[in-house]
Amino acid sequence: MAPAAMRIAAQSLSGAKPVSYWLDDPEKPAALPALTGDEHTDLLVVGGGYSGLWTALIAKERDPERDVVLIEGHEVGWAASGRNGGFCAASLTHGLANGVERWPDEIAKLEELGARNLDAIEAAVARYGIDCEFERTGEIDVATEPYQVDELREWHQEIVALGITGVDFLDREAVRAEVDSPTFLGGLWDRRGVAMLHPAKLAWGLKRACRELGVRIYEGTRGLGLVRSGEGMAVRTPYGRIFARRVALGTNIFPSLVKRVRPYTVPVYDYALMTEPLTPEQLESIGWKGRQGLGDSANQFHYFRLSADNRILWGGYDAIYPYGGKLSADLDQRPETFLKLAGQFFDCFPQLSGVNFSHAWGGAIDTCSRFTAFFGTAHQRRVAYAAGYTGLGVGSTRFGADVMLDLLAGEETERTRLEMVRSKPMPFPPEPFAWAGIEITRRSLARADDNGGRRNLWLKTMDKLGLGFDS
């Protein structure tokens, strides 16, 4: 970055609050008390993010008489569910391309289930009166290099051949008519497959809906250990125990209470900025009347969208894996990444020079080697888990909740018959091999972006093995 551009980027960050914009909200509900003593329940849900909240809610919808308890180690929605970009996608497979590559024989069913899942989220938001700023405006994948235009055009032809509708190819003129950046050369607009929303308000709304249906929620209550107890399970917490017939684990990036699951995920730290609200003149300078979500097509990609009050969220690019899978609040702030992101923002939207960022934050995502969630059971089907959403969990966690409840019930359904549900990704190796492999992959992806998308031998080998690293 040139010195002048660096000064502009640094100045734009001078007043940024080191907290997620979504969580920095006066409407944030008060935390509920921690569990003290012993509890007994039919179903215990561990984790108060989207995964756990949807599981508790759907469990009560399926059987209103079922007794359900949810525990959360901190506060509902405080981790990835309150820090993400607010892109709620229909895709269950981290994008159609990943699904076609891994499960070509199932892709039609996976796309159908994903579309139904997004419809169900939209319906639940309306049914429970969740004011999460839900806008089903779609998403545009934009090309910023000539080779990416060719790739998007070819991919659009494949999408059409698969019989998938609602995705349009946009040339340079058409994409800039939607959102005006001098860097945009083309795009693919998925018109109905993605909704924008306020992620923390979704979590808080689900929390309220769960309580209204009778779910007992304890915040500040970590699950410390999981053991068999008679015909069910017992989970130890800091100040008590919970005895449950069945347990659903929605802990995602945090260490699973089923230890054998832990090698399948690693934490990746992702970072985002939020601008101050744009003036009408600034908004007019970039267009964006359709309020779609956007993402560029590089390996090291950005995602960006408008908030309800016309701020721009700008995130992505760096995906940082801490050695040993360390989770620390210290890693939520990374000034060198924020400076890089700010400079790239003004490269994309030079007409917004002078805009400042109000918030800068980061957080950990649970990624797995196939980029999309995996599922399973333990303790003779008394425990179910879902993890590995790799940054696209805003929508797919609801599907994962259905899968966990199917598995706990021992039911064969259209979900549990899927190869995606029945298979597992490749686990990550122990250190130092995990860190070394991820670093080689990250650097190779960066070189591919600088080299017309051409992948080196390492990436080609990983592709053949079906392995990867993403955020």
Side-chain angles (χ1 to χ4, degrees):
M1 193 186 307
M6 185 173 292
R7 284 194 299 272
I8 293 170
Q11 179 60 40
S12 72
L13 292 163
S14 62
K17 297 172 69 172
V19 63
S20 165
Y21 166 77
W22 310 116
L23 296 172
D24 186 27
D25 192 305
E27 296 181 23
K28 178 182 177 183
L32 298 170
L35 171 70
T36 58
D38 290 351
E39 266 278 21
H40 294 78
T41 188
D42 296 325
L43 173 66
L44 170 63
V45 179
V46 182
Y50 299 138
S51 184
L53 291 164
W54 281 118
T55 303
L57 186 71
I58 295 171
K60 292 295 283 186
E61 290 177 336
R62 289 188 181 190
D63 180 2
E65 300 304 312
R66 177 164 24 191
D67 190 59
V68 180
V69 169
L70 182 148
I71 61 172
E72 161 56 41
H74 189 56
E75 294 182 23
V76 162
W78 77 279
S81 297
R83 306 185 193 205
N84 62 82
F87 287 64
C88 186
S91 176
L92 305 176
T93 59
H94 204 272
L96 178 60
N98 191 49
V100 169
E101 181 180 346
R102 297 182 186 280
W103 302 289
D105 296 335
E106 289 185 344
I107 195 61
K109 174 58 69 174
L110 288 166
E111 287 292 294
E112 175 197 340
L113 290 170
R116 281 161 45 189
N117 184 65
L118 183 54
D119 289 343
I121 292 172
E122 185 171 16
V125 165
R127 182 166 64 253
Y128 294 108
I130 299 174
D131 181 17
C132 63
E133 301 163 11
F134 189 97
E135 298 179 281
R136 198 155 174 178
T137 51
E139 180 180 8
I140 302 175
D141 292 331
V142 297
T144 57
E145 297 287 344
Y147 77 89
Q148 294 170 6
V149 178
D150 295 336
E151 290 178 348
L152 289 181
R153 186 180 286 109
E154 291 171 6
W155 177 232
H156 181 249
Q157 293 170 353
E158 291 185 44
I159 291 172
V160 171
L162 287 168
I164 294 171
T165 60
V167 180
D168 297 329
F169 176 79
L170 306 178
D171 62 18
R172 183 176 183 274
E173 183 176 328
V175 73
R176 292 190 64 173
E178 296 297 329
V179 185
D180 190 15
S181 166
T183 67
F184 293 176
L185 306 179
L188 275 186
W189 185 1
D190 181 351
R191 292 180 177 268
R192 291 283 298 166
V194 184
M196 299 293 107
L197 53 76
H198 187 303
K201 286 184 178 179
L202 174 61
W204 299 334
L206 290 172
K207 173 184 175 179
R208 174 182 54 79
C210 283
R211 297 187 72 200
E212 289 174 352
L213 293 184
V215 177
R216 301 194 302 287
I217 297 177
Y218 297 97
E219 294 178 281
T221 303
R222 289 181 58 211
L224 301 176
L226 174 71
V227 296
R228 290 280 294 275
S229 177
E231 294 300 310
M233 304 299 299
V235 171
R236 180 170 52 88
T237 71
Y239 306 117
R241 295 172 300 175
I242 305 171
F243 298 91
R245 292 182 59 250
R246 297 290 184 266
V247 177
L249 301 178
T251 50
N252 295 302
I253 193 52
F254 298 99
S256 177
L257 294 179
V258 177
K259 293 182 179 179
R260 70 170 185 266
V261 176
R262 296 178 185 178
Y264 288 101
T265 63
V266 294
V268 177
Y269 277 80
D270 181 57
Y271 298 92
L273 305 174
M274 185 70 94
T275 71
E276 61 194 3
L278 301 187
T279 66
E281 295 75 21
Q282 289 169 331
L283 191 59
E284 179 65 26
S285 74
I286 58 172
W288 215 340
K289 295 180 179 63
R291 301 184 59 80
Q292 311 93 331
L294 286 96
D296 58 45
S297 301
N299 293 306
Q300 291 183 293
F301 62 92
H302 303 91
Y303 54 88
F304 38 120
R305 49 78 55 97
L306 289 170
S307 66
D309 59 350
N310 290 328
R311 301 168 185 261
I312 296 178
L313 179 143
W314 177 264
Y317 195 78
D318 279 344
I320 305 301
Y321 169 68
Y323 184 88
K326 172 186 175 185
L327 290 170
S328 170
D330 293 341
L331 299 173
D332 292 347
Q333 292 291 305
R334 197 168 192 266
E336 59 267 45
T337 292
F338 297 144
L339 189 63
K340 188 185 302 179
L341 284 172
Q344 292 163 341
F345 175 85
F346 293 116
D347 288 341
C348 182
F349 294 119
Q351 59 269 56
L352 296 181
S353 178
V355 167
N356 292 317
F357 294 99
S358 63
H359 296 75
W361 72 93
I365 294 167
D366 62 325
T367 192
C368 69
S369 60
R370 73 183 194 185
F371 309 146
T372 190
F374 62 91
F375 314 91
T377 61
H379 297 282
Q380 296 180 317
R381 291 188 176 269
R382 292 174 173 86
V383 178
Y385 57 83
Y389 288 97
T390 317
L392 259 70
V394 180
S396 57
T397 44
R398 186 194 175 281
F399 173 82
D402 265 326
V403 170
M404 284 196 286
L405 292 170
D406 290 349
L407 293 173
L408 289 174
E411 296 175 351
E412 182 177 310
T413 68
E414 59 183 346
R415 290 177 289 266
T416 61
R417 286 192 292 269
L418 292 168
E419 176 63 22
M420 187 191 83
V421 170
R422 293 185 289 111
S423 63
K424 295 282 194 301
M426 183 78 74
F428 290 92
E431 298 293 10
F433 304 107
W435 186 87
I438 289 170
E439 274 301 296
I440 293 171
T441 302
R442 286 184 64 246
R443 295 178 186 185
S444 297
L445 290 170
R447 283 197 293 271
D449 284 338
D450 293 335
N451 194 31
R454 288 184 286 275
R455 300 169 78 82
N456 64 16
L457 180 59
W458 174 268
L459 292 178
K460 290 177 180 178
T461 302
M462 293 297 101
D463 292 342
K464 287 181 180 179
L465 295 175
L467 303 176
F469 173 76
D470 201 1
S471 70

